[in-house]
Amino acid sequence: MPLAVSVLLPSIVGFIAVSSQIIIFREGLTIFYGNELAVGILFFLWFISGSFGSWLFGRISNRSSKDNELILWILFSSLALTLPFSIYILRAFRGWAGIVPGEILSPLNIFMAAALSVFIEAVILGMLFTQGVTFINKNFKGRAITMMYLFESVGASAGGFVTSIFLVRYFNNMRSSLFVSILAVLAALLITVFSRRKAVFRVLSCMALIIFVTVFFTLAEKINMSTRETKWQGIRLIDEKSSIYGDITVTKNQNVYTIFENGVISLEAPDTISSENMVHFAMLASRSPKKVLLIGGGIGDRLVEILKYCPASVTYIELNPEVVNMAEKYFLNEPWFRLKDQRVKIINSDARVFLETTKEKYDVAIINKPNPYTAEINRFYTKEFYKGLKNVLTDDGIAVFAVSGSENYISSDLALFLKAIFKTAASVFPEVKAIPGDTIYFIVSSSDGKLSMDPAEIEKARLEKNIDTTFVAPYYLNANLAIDRVVKLDNLLRSGINDRSVRLNTDLEPVSYYFDMVLWGSYFSRTFSDTLRYLSKTGFWAVLALSLFVLAIFFLLGSLKKNGQNIHFLTSLVVTGFSIISLEVLLLIVFQIFYGYMYYKMGFIFAIFMSGMAIGAFVTDKVKYDIMKMFKAAQLGLAILCAFFIVGICGLKAYSKLLSTVIGEGFFFIYPFLLGAAGGLQFPLSGKIFERSGISTGHAAGTGYAADLFGSCLGALCLSVFIVPLFGVYKAAVLLLVMNLTAYTGLVLLRRKSDPCRKD
Amino acid sequence: MNVISRRDFLKAAAAGASVIAADGLTGLLFKNNSFALDSLGKIGYEHEAMFYEKMDEETVKCKLCPNECVLKDGQRSFCRVREPNNGKLYALNYGQVCSAHIDPIEKKPFYHFLPGTQAFSLATAGCNLRCKFCQNWQISQSRPEDTDNKYLSPKSIVDSAKMAGVPSIAYTYSEPNVFYEYVIDIAKEGRARDLRNVYVTGGYINQEPLSLLCANVDAIKVDFKGFDGKYLKEVCNEDLETVLRVLKYVKKSGVWLELVNLVVPTLNDDMAIIRNMCLWIYDNLGPDVPLHFSRFFPMYKLRNLPQTPLETLMAAHDIAKASGMNYVYVGNVETDKANHTFCPRCGKAVVKRSGYFISEKNMNAGACAFCGYKIAGVWS
C-alpha cells in the first residue's frame, strides 16, 4: 500500500468523523429542544459509542493484512450508508415514537433518538480508528498510533472547516450527509485500487460511487423534501434554510407565519397578543419613546405596535442575516411587514457586541429572546447583560423582556427560575415589575418610580399617547392585572432578593440555563426535575472530593494489581479526554461572553485546537525523549493550562481593555493550540507505552482511544450541563486543575520498577 | 424599588380581590378575617373518597371516572390525588387549594350565565386527563404534595366568596372531577348561603357521580376537546363516547351548559370534523347551547406548535352558525365580531363584549330588548 494512502485514509476518517458529528448534531438539535442537556446527551452518546467501537476492535485486532483491507473496506462502505440513514432516523423518529405534531421530546425520547442516530455512525468511526492503526502499521512501523492520530487530526481540522464554512451554508443536512457519504465511498474505492483482493470490491465501490454521486445531484433534494415532511408531520412548510447559525424554517397556516430557529418557534406573525404585550407596557411607561432598540423579533408585527408611537428611529438587532432575508422574501407584501420603514435600521450583529460598542442612548429597549435554554442565550439574562443594557438606556429608559410563566399557579421549579432572573435584573435596575400570565413580561426601568401595574394608570397613558390597542386595554388588563395576581407574583419574586439560596445569573456563573433545564424537565417527570434540582444544591467541594476519590481509587487499584500500571495510564487518558473537551467548551463559553457569538472565529478556534493536536502528535513522533517523562509532562502541562486559563480569564476580565488588543485575541488563539498540543502529545505516547507493555498495536490504539473518548464523553455531559452553570467557569477550571494534578501525582507515584518504559 | 403599598393591597383585599396568596400580607389577611386558615387539613388519609368499590381487604376500585383505577393500599390513582389505605379510598387533595382567584365569569368562559359578574375560582392539584396542551399543567399534572397549598374548609371558601361579594364559586383551572368531594361540600354550603356553583370540566366522569354533581351545581362548562376519538385518546387520554354521554346527561338535567372547543392547528382543525361536531350538538343538545371556539397557543408539551390563526377560528364559527347553532363565540382574538351575543330572531346584538367585559347589554328579564325573544341562559 503506497504511503500516500496511509496518509490519506486516516485523514478521511478524521474528516468524516467531524463532518458527520456536526451534521448529525445540527439535525438533532432541530428535533430536540436544543438545550445544553440535549447537546450533552448527543456528545455523550457520540463519544461513548466511539469508545465502544475502538475498544471492541482493539480486542480483536490481530488479523492478516488481507482481512484488514477487507474490514476497512466494509467499514468505509457502511459509513456511506449510515450518515444519511442517521438523518432519516432523526426525521422519522417523532412518528415512530408516537409524538404528535408540535410536541416537544422528553429527555427519554431525546436519548432514544440520539442513540438510534448516533450509535452506528460513531461505533464505526471508533472501529475505523483502531482498524486504521492496524492498517497503516506496515508503513509506519512503531509509529502507527502517532501517525493515525496526527493525520486524523489534520483530517478533522479540514472536516470542521469545510463543514462549518461550506456545507452548512450551501447544503441542507441531508445533502451534506450525502456529500460525506461520497467521501466514504471514495475511501473504500481507494482501498480496492491498491488491494490484492478480487476486482469485485472495486466494481462494487465504483457502482456505489456512481449511485451516490447521481443521488447527490438528482435525488438529494427530493429525499430531503420527503423526509423533512415526515419530520414536520403535516405542519405546512413554506421554506427551510440552512445557515451558519442553524436551520430556519418558515411555516404558514392560513395567514399566520411561524418562524422556527433550530426547530424551536422563535416568532409568529402576525401575533397581536404577544406583540402588544411585548411593546406597549414598556412604550407606555416611557415618557417619550423616541429612540427604540429592538433586539430580535423585528420581522414580525412588533414593529407595527412600536411605530404607533411615531418614534424617530428603531434600531433592530438581528444576529442571523438569513432571518431578515427570509422575511423579505416571504413577508414583503403582508400588511404588518414594516422592515422597509425608513425609521427602521437593521443591524446584523450579536446584541451583546452591539451593547458594548454603541454610543447611542435609547428610550426603550425591547428584547425578544427565548428562555435561556442554552449557554449562548443565557448571555441575554445575566447581570453583565443588564448592565450593558442600562448603559445604552437614557436616564429614565425602560426595557422589557419575557420568559415562560404560568397564569394560575407558579410551581416551585418555575419559581426557582423566575426568582433568579428577577434578582439578577433587580441587581442592576432600580425598578423591576413583572406582568403575570402564561408569559411573564419583565419591565425594568433605569430610574425608580416609573412603572405602574395599575390598569387605570396604564390606560391613562394609552389615552394620552393616543395608541390604539386590542389586548393591552382595560377589558383584559383589569382581569390579567388583578391586584391579587400582581401582588402574589411580586411577593414571590421579591422573596428571592434576600434569599441567599437564590443565585444571580452572571456571565461566568450562568445558573439560569440550568434552572430552565429543571423547568423543562418538570414537563415530563417530577422525579427528573427533582433530581436536577437536588443536584443544584450539591456543593463544589463535594464534587471536587468525589472526583479526587474516584481517581484515587483507580490509582490505588493500579498500584495494587500486578502489572496494573496500564490502569494508571488509562486513568490519566480519561482525565485528559475529560479535561481537553472541558477546557475547549470553557474557552468557547468565555469567548462568546467576551467577544460575542462569532461563528467563524469560534470555528477558527476549533481549527487551531485540531492543528495543535496534529502538531503535538508530530512532536511525539519526531522528538526522541523518555516516553514516560513526556507522558507525565503532558499531564502536568494540562494542569498548568488549567491554571493559565484561570489566570488568563481573570486578567482579561479585570482589564477588559486588553480584550481588543493582541493580548486578548492572542490568548484565544494560542490557548487552543497549546490545549490541542498537550492532548496530541499524550495520546500517541500512551500508545507507545501500551505497545511496550506487550500489547499489539491495534489493541493499544483501541484501548487508549476508548479511554480518551470515554473521558471526553464524561466531560461533554458534565461540564456544560452541570459544572459550569452550578459552579461557574472558574471553579470548573479549578476542578480540572485538581484532577490533572492528581493524575500527574498518580503517574509520579507509579513505581519505577513497574514502569514499562524503564528500558528507555 | 417600588413595592405595591400595603394600603393599596389591603384596599383591594378588602374589596375581595385577594383571598389566597403564598405569604406576607395575605397571611395577615387570613388571620384578621373570619375565614382564618383551618389548621385541620393535612395531605393524608383524612377524607374518605366517594364512589369506590372495595375489592378485597387492601384493594379498591375507584368509580369516579372511566379510568376506574384498581388500587392497592398506598398506590396512587392515575389522577394523582386518590389513594387507598386499609381498604378505604381517600381523597388526599380534599381542601388543599393551590390556586384561587377572583375572575370575570367570562374568562371561564361562561357567556350566558350571570354575565358581567365575577366568580371565586379555585383548584387543587391533579387531573384524570393528560392533555398535552394543558394551560394549567403545573397544577393538573401534579400531586397535592407537589403544589403549594392552603387548606381551606368548604365553609372558608363560602365565607371568602361572600366576603368578596361575588355571586358564584367556580371549580376550574385543573379538573374539578378530581376534587369532587370537596366540590360537593362547598356547593352545598354555598347554595345554602345563596351562592351559585359553576363547574369547568373536561367531562370525563362516570354516570353516578355526574348525577349527584348535576344536582348540586348550577352551570357546567365542558371542554369538548374534539369530535375525533383518535385525537382525544392520543392528545388528551380521553374517550369520545364518555364525553358525549356526559354532555347529553348534563343538558337533560337542566344544569346550564356551555361548550368550549379548543381548535388545535394540524391536530384538530379539520373543518369536516368540526361540522360533524356541530351537527351532533345541534341534534343532541339543541341549538341554544353556547359554543365557544378558542385559540390554541403553544403551551406545555405542544409548545412547538404554532397558534391557531384567526381565520381558522372564524371558519369554525361560520360552520357552527351554518349548522344551526344560535350562540357561537370566538373570544380572546383581535376582533370582537364573534364575541357578542346576537338575538337569534332579530339578529341584533343583545350583549356586546370587549374582551372579558360587557360593554353593552340590551336585554330585559332574559329577553331581547329589541324583539322580546327569550335568550337562553341564566341571566340573574
Side-chain angles (χ1 to χ4, degrees):
Chain A
M1 194 68 55
L3 186 66
V5 178
S6 292
V7 169
L8 208 52
L9 286 182
S11 309
I12 295 178
V13 173
F15 189 105
I16 295 178
V18 167
S19 291
S20 45
Q21 190 187 22
I22 294 174
I23 296 164
I24 291 181
F25 281 27
R26 278 175 64 100
E27 186 67 30
L29 292 184
T30 65
I31 289 153
F32 311 152
Y33 176 68
N35 62 10
E36 297 293 337
L37 185 64
V39 182
I41 289 174
L42 274 166
F43 266 114
F44 177 84
L45 288 165
W46 182 266
F47 288 131
I48 199 118
S49 312
S51 173
F52 174 72
S54 71
W55 171 82
L56 190 74
F57 259 45
R59 313 285 301 176
I60 44 169
S61 61
N62 291 319
R63 280 171 243 97
S64 72
S65 61
K66 242 177 143 184
D67 284 345
N68 276 332
E69 283 168 7
L70 177 65
I71 290 168
L72 211 57
W73 182 84
I74 294 172
L75 289 176
F76 272 116
S77 303
S78 13
L79 212 50
L81 288 172
T82 51
L83 183 58
F85 193 62
S86 293
I87 303 296
Y88 171 71
I89 289 174
L90 283 169
R91 292 184 177 182
F93 181 81
R94 300 181 58 93
W96 295 343
I99 294 155
V100 303
E103 183 179 0
I104 54 171
L105 269 68
S106 68
L108 184 68
N109 285 150
I110 290 178
F111 191 87
M112 280 160 54
L116 282 172
S117 61
V118 155
F119 183 72
I120 297 176
E121 179 80 11
V123 165
I124 295 178
L125 282 164
M127 289 171 167
L128 264 174
F129 184 85
T130 312
Q131 190 61 25
V133 170
T134 317
F135 181 76
I136 64 170
N137 205 14
K138 258 181 295 166
N139 286 83
F140 301 109
K141 202 76 192 154
R143 298 152 63 211
I145 297 178
T146 311
M147 287 306 164
M148 182 73 199
Y149 203 70
L150 198 161
F151 296 122
E152 203 220 11
S153 303
V154 172
S157 194
F161 182 78
V162 170
T163 312
S164 54
I165 307 290
F166 295 105
L167 294 188
V168 306
R169 277 184 74 173
Y170 300 111
F171 297 154
N172 54 56
N173 292 333
M174 187 53 94
R175 213 178 192 140
S176 298
S177 75
L178 287 166
F179 179 87
V180 176
S181 294
I182 292 174
L183 205 62
V185 175
L186 278 173
L189 186 64
L190 196 65
I191 296 163
T192 63
V193 170
F194 297 100
S195 167
R196 283 155 292 157
R197 285 210 162 251
K198 283 181 193 151
V200 59
F201 295 102
R202 208 169 305 157
V203 175
L204 282 174
S205 282
C206 282
M207 279 166 61
L209 186 66
I210 293 166
I211 293 170
F212 273 100
V213 170
T214 316
V215 169
F216 182 81
F217 284 107
T218 57
L219 289 173
E221 207 42 52
K222 229 176 191 167
I223 298 173
N224 183 52
M225 297 279 264
S226 80
T227 50
R228 86 179 185 190
E229 257 154 40
T230 312
K231 165 174 147 185
W232 285 92
Q233 298 176 296
I235 297 175
R236 198 183 138 214
L237 290 180
I238 297 284
D239 200 358
E240 198 159 45
K241 177 104 178 96
S242 177
S243 82
I244 55 170
Y245 300 107
D247 286 359
I248 306 160
T249 309
V250 182
T251 67
K252 190 179 183 191
N253 184 5
Q254 303 281 2
N255 291 326
V256 177
Y257 292 91
T258 307
I259 294 94
F260 292 80
E261 286 186 67
N262 288 322
V264 178
I265 293 182
S266 78
L267 194 82
E268 297 195 66
D271 182 1
T272 317
I273 296 186
S274 68
S275 289
E276 282 199 8
N277 283 317
M278 200 75 209
V279 169
H280 294 303
F281 291 116
M283 296 290 272
L284 290 172
S286 169
R287 197 168 34 89
S288 165
K290 285 289 161 222
K291 284 181 74 176
V292 180
L293 177 65
L294 179 63
I295 297 177
I299 60 170
D301 58 342
R302 306 277 197 263
L303 282 171
V304 173
E305 305 303 325
I306 295 171
L307 293 173
K308 284 179 181 171
Y309 295 80
C310 303
S313 70
V314 182
T315 307
Y316 162 41
I317 314 294
E318 178 58 63
L319 175 65
N320 191 349
E322 281 304 330
V323 169
V324 176
N325 292 343
M326 285 283 234
E328 286 178 347
K329 190 168 165 192
Y330 293 105
F331 307 161
L332 201 58
N333 297 321
E334 295 296 334
W336 41 263
F337 189 70
R338 296 284 187 283
L339 268 193
K340 295 287 180 199
D341 190 291
Q342 298 218 319
R343 292 163 290 181
V344 179
K345 188 175 155 203
I346 306 171
I347 295 180
N348 285 125
S349 159
D350 180 34
R352 283 288 299 254
V353 177
F354 178 81
L355 292 186
E356 293 300 322
T357 49
T358 184
K359 302 268 186 301
E360 301 286 319
K361 293 276 182 191
Y362 298 90
D363 300 303
V364 173
I366 296 163
I367 299 138
N368 287 283
K369 284 281 170 190
N371 269 17
Y373 67 90
T374 64
E376 194 263 307
I377 303 170
N378 190 73
R379 297 180 305 134
F380 299 97
Y381 292 90
T382 61
K383 185 169 179 174
E384 290 84 350
F385 172 73
Y386 294 133
K387 277 185 178 165
L389 187 62
K390 194 166 173 239
N391 275 339
V392 305
L393 287 175
T394 53
D395 291 341
D396 56 357
I398 311 277
V400 58
F401 60 92
V403 294
S404 296
S406 173
E407 187 174 348
N408 299 314
Y409 178 78
I410 304 238
S411 68
S412 48
D413 295 323
L414 182 58
L416 191 70
F417 170 75
L418 292 174
K419 279 181 191 175
I421 286 181
F422 179 81
K423 188 174 186 171
T424 308
S427 73
V428 173
F429 290 98
E431 192 172 18
V432 182
K433 290 273 159 78
I435 313 267
D438 288 327
T439 299
I440 291 181
Y441 296 89
F442 283 95
I443 322 284
V444 300
S445 167
S446 291
S447 52
D448 206 355
K450 293 280 165 202
L451 306 175
S452 172
M453 300 289 275
D454 182 350
E457 296 232 0
I458 295 172
E459 176 62 3
K460 199 174 135 210
R462 189 179 77 88
L463 293 173
E464 274 170 14
K465 291 192 165 86
N466 195 21
I467 304 296
D468 184 28
T469 57
T470 306
F471 297 99
V472 178
Y475 27 90
Y476 285 108
L477 293 187
N478 287 337
N480 296 344
L481 288 179
I483 194 145
D484 61 324
R485 290 178 183 272
V486 172
V487 170
K488 196 171 168 185
L489 179 62
D490 197 66
N491 282 348
L492 176 95
L493 296 175
R494 245 161 246 291
S495 70
I497 296 236
N498 296 319
D499 182 349
R500 285 190 57 205
S501 69
V502 176
R503 295 163 55 183
L504 287 182
N505 185 36
T506 65
D507 278 348
L508 294 178
E509 283 189 34
V511 75
S512 282
Y513 82 75
Y514 188 84
F515 292 148
D516 184 74
M517 190 170 75
V518 176
L519 187 60
W520 165 79
S522 69
Y523 286 20
F524 306 99
S525 148
R526 190 158 287 274
T527 318
F528 180 66
S529 66
D530 282 350
T531 311
L532 290 177
R533 204 141 45 96
Y534 181 76
L535 283 174
S536 78
K537 292 182 184 134
T538 321
F540 177 66
W541 299 111
V543 174
L544 199 66
L546 179 74
S547 51
L548 279 182
F549 178 74
V550 172
L551 287 180
I553 293 271
F554 277 101
F555 284 124
L556 196 67
L557 213 67
S559 306
L560 292 177
K561 214 175 141 193
K562 207 179 165 194
N563 295 328
Q565 65 275 12
N566 281 354
I567 296 179
H568 281 254
F569 298 117
L570 287 174
T571 311
S572 300
L573 279 179
V574 172
V575 171
T576 302
F578 186 97
S579 307
I580 284 186
I581 192 153
S582 298
L583 285 167
E584 177 74 6
V585 171
L586 284 180
L587 195 73
L588 288 175
I589 288 178
V590 175
F591 181 83
Q592 276 186 64
I593 290 163
F594 287 162
Y595 294 98
Y597 188 81
M598 305 275 191
Y599 182 83
Y600 293 109
K601 280 195 178 173
M602 282 153 72
F604 195 48
I605 289 178
F606 176 76
I608 292 177
F609 166 75
M610 293 309 294
S611 26
M613 279 194 149
I615 289 178
F618 181 74
V619 169
T620 317
D621 187 54
K622 287 292 164 219
V623 177
K624 298 287 169 238
Y625 195 63
D626 184 319
I627 294 176
M628 188 56 206
K629 277 190 181 156
M630 270 174 81
F631 189 87
K632 280 193 277 194
Q635 203 75 54
L636 186 63
L638 263 178
I640 293 169
L641 277 176
C642 295
F644 180 40
F645 180 85
I646 299 168
V647 174
I649 301 305
C650 272
L652 289 174
K653 180 102 177 130
Y655 302 99
S656 53
K657 283 205 178 92
L658 289 177
L659 284 173
S660 52
T661 67
V662 68
I663 298 177
E665 301 231 357
F667 176 82
F668 285 96
F669 292 109
I670 292 170
Y671 193 87
F673 178 80
L674 295 174
L675 189 63
L681 208 61
Q682 199 187 39
F683 179 78
L685 288 171
S686 75
K688 289 189 179 181
I689 292 172
F690 295 145
E691 277 179 294
R692 290 186 186 188
S693 70
I695 306 175
S696 77
T697 305
H699 191 176
T703 315
Y705 200 55
D708 189 32
L709 290 183
F710 179 69
S712 304
C713 93
L714 285 183
L717 188 67
C718 297
L719 192 90
S720 50
V721 178
F722 300 103
I723 297 171
V724 168
L726 294 181
F727 308 123
V729 166
Y730 290 128
K731 282 185 183 155
V734 169
L735 177 72
L736 297 172
L737 171 66
V738 172
M739 282 170 70
N740 278 288
L741 283 178
T742 314
Y744 176 69
T745 315
L747 292 171
V748 169
L749 291 179
L750 186 65
R751 277 176 305 176
R752 185 80 189 151
K753 63 176 179 180
S754 63
D755 184 346
C757 309
R758 63 184 180 275
K759 50 193 160 197
D760 280 12
Chain B
M1 213 179 285
N2 253 17
V3 184
I4 292 163
S5 82
R6 184 191 166 94
R7 191 180 56 82
D8 283 349
F9 177 70
L10 287 176
K11 201 166 78 184
S18 179
V19 281
I20 183 167
D23 49 14
L25 289 167
T26 326
L28 217 147
L29 188 73
F30 273 107
K31 275 183 211 146
N32 288 349
N33 287 287
S34 58
F35 49 90
L37 269 173
D38 285 289
S39 56
L40 298 165
K42 284 197 297 276
I43 297 171
Y45 306 125
E46 300 267 326
H47 199 98
E48 191 179 354
M50 299 165 82
F51 305 106
Y52 71 93
E53 190 181 292
K54 199 165 171 170
M55 299 181 79
D56 60 44
E57 275 315 299
E58 50 174 27
T59 316
V60 301
K61 184 180 194 179
C62 180
K63 307 277 275 181
L64 180 66
C65 86
N67 287 330
E68 305 211 335
C69 299
V70 175
L71 305 163
K72 285 210 178 302
D73 278 2
Q75 265 184 347
R76 193 60 65 89
S77 59
F78 183 74
C79 61
R80 301 192 175 95
V81 300
R82 294 159 96 82
E83 190 175 298
N85 186 39
N86 287 330
K88 255 168 107 171
L89 185 65
Y90 290 91
L92 307 181
N93 58 339
Y94 186 95
Q96 301 294 340
V97 177
C98 64
S99 187
H101 300 98
I102 307 263
D103 290 331
I105 200 156
E106 280 78 8
K107 208 177 165 185
K108 304 293 142 200
F110 279 105
Y111 275 19
H112 289 231
F113 189 86
L114 307 181
T117 66
Q118 300 212 303
F120 182 98
S121 311
L122 67 116
T124 77
C127 184
N128 58 345
L129 303 177
R130 292 289 182 268
C131 307
K132 291 177 176 176
F133 47 70
C134 183
Q135 188 199 3
N136 290 306
W137 64 274
Q138 313 222 16
I139 318 177
S140 67
Q141 303 305 318
S142 294
R143 301 179 310 163
E145 296 93 321
D146 300 326
T147 51
D148 187 13
N149 313 314
K150 291 271 185 274
Y151 178 81
L152 293 168
S153 68
K155 183 175 175 300
S156 308
I157 295 287
V158 174
D159 286 344
S160 309
K162 287 304 270 185
M163 206 176 145
V166 298
S168 60
I169 297 172
Y171 310 94
T172 179
Y173 305 139
S174 59
E175 170 56 67
N177 288 344
V178 307
F179 51 99
Y180 185 92
E181 295 79 5
Y182 189 47
V183 171
I184 297 293
D185 290 352
I186 299 171
K188 284 180 177 164
E189 174 90 22
R191 273 199 173 168
R193 293 168 64 187
D194 210 19
L195 284 172
R196 314 281 183 95
N197 294 285
V198 304
Y199 197 82
V200 177
T201 176
Y204 199 55
I205 188 169
N206 279 344
Q207 188 51 48
E208 202 187 338
L210 177 65
S211 313
L212 180 66
L213 181 75
C214 289
N216 283 285
V217 301
D218 304 279
I220 296 182
K221 186 216 87 177
V222 176
D223 277 308
F224 193 5
K225 296 171 202 276
F227 203 62
D228 170 2
K230 185 168 170 275
Y231 163 79
L232 283 185
K233 195 77 214 159
E234 268 182 15
V235 178
C236 309
N237 204 41
E238 191 175 27
D239 77 76
L240 183 60
E241 290 311 308
T242 303
V243 184
L244 300 183
R245 169 185 52 79
V246 167
L247 290 175
K248 281 199 263 190
Y249 183 84
V250 173
K251 182 66 195 167
K252 211 176 88 191
S253 73
V255 170
W256 180 250
L257 173 67
E258 299 200 19
L259 303 176
V260 170
N261 178 241
L262 180 75
V263 183
V264 185
T266 319
L267 291 170
N268 79 334
D269 60 350
D270 183 337
M271 290 301 150
I273 295 179
I274 288 177
R275 178 174 293 110
N276 289 341
M277 177 180 81
C278 295
L279 292 172
W280 184 91
I281 296 170
Y282 183 89
D283 291 342
N284 293 277
L285 311 175
D288 284 342
V289 175
L291 172 60
H292 305 253
F293 289 105
S294 67
R295 177 179 260 180
F296 163 85
F297 289 99
M299 188 81 69
Y300 187 36
K301 290 186 177 171
L302 296 188
R303 63 190 292 174
N304 246 343
L305 192 64
Q307 59 178 267
T308 323
L310 178 63
E311 295 78 8
T312 305
L313 294 166
M314 293 313 287
H317 169 272
D318 295 347
I319 284 174
K321 290 296 267 185
S323 308
M325 300 302 295
N326 282 333
Y327 309 108
V328 187
Y329 301 102
V330 178
N332 211 1
V333 293
E334 291 81 348
T335 165
D336 280 324
K337 214 172 86 186
N339 204 20
H340 307 319
T341 303
F342 296 97
C343 172
R345 187 157 72 192
C346 70
K348 290 190 176 139
V350 286
V351 182
K352 278 193 170 177
R353 298 178 186 83
S354 287
Y356 303 132
F357 289 84
I358 308 289
S359 55
E360 200 180 311
K361 206 167 158 187
N362 302 307
M363 284 175 71
N364 294 323
C368 171
F370 306 105
C371 72
Y373 182 85
K374 196 170 173 343
I375 308 292
V378 178
W379 305 102
S380 58

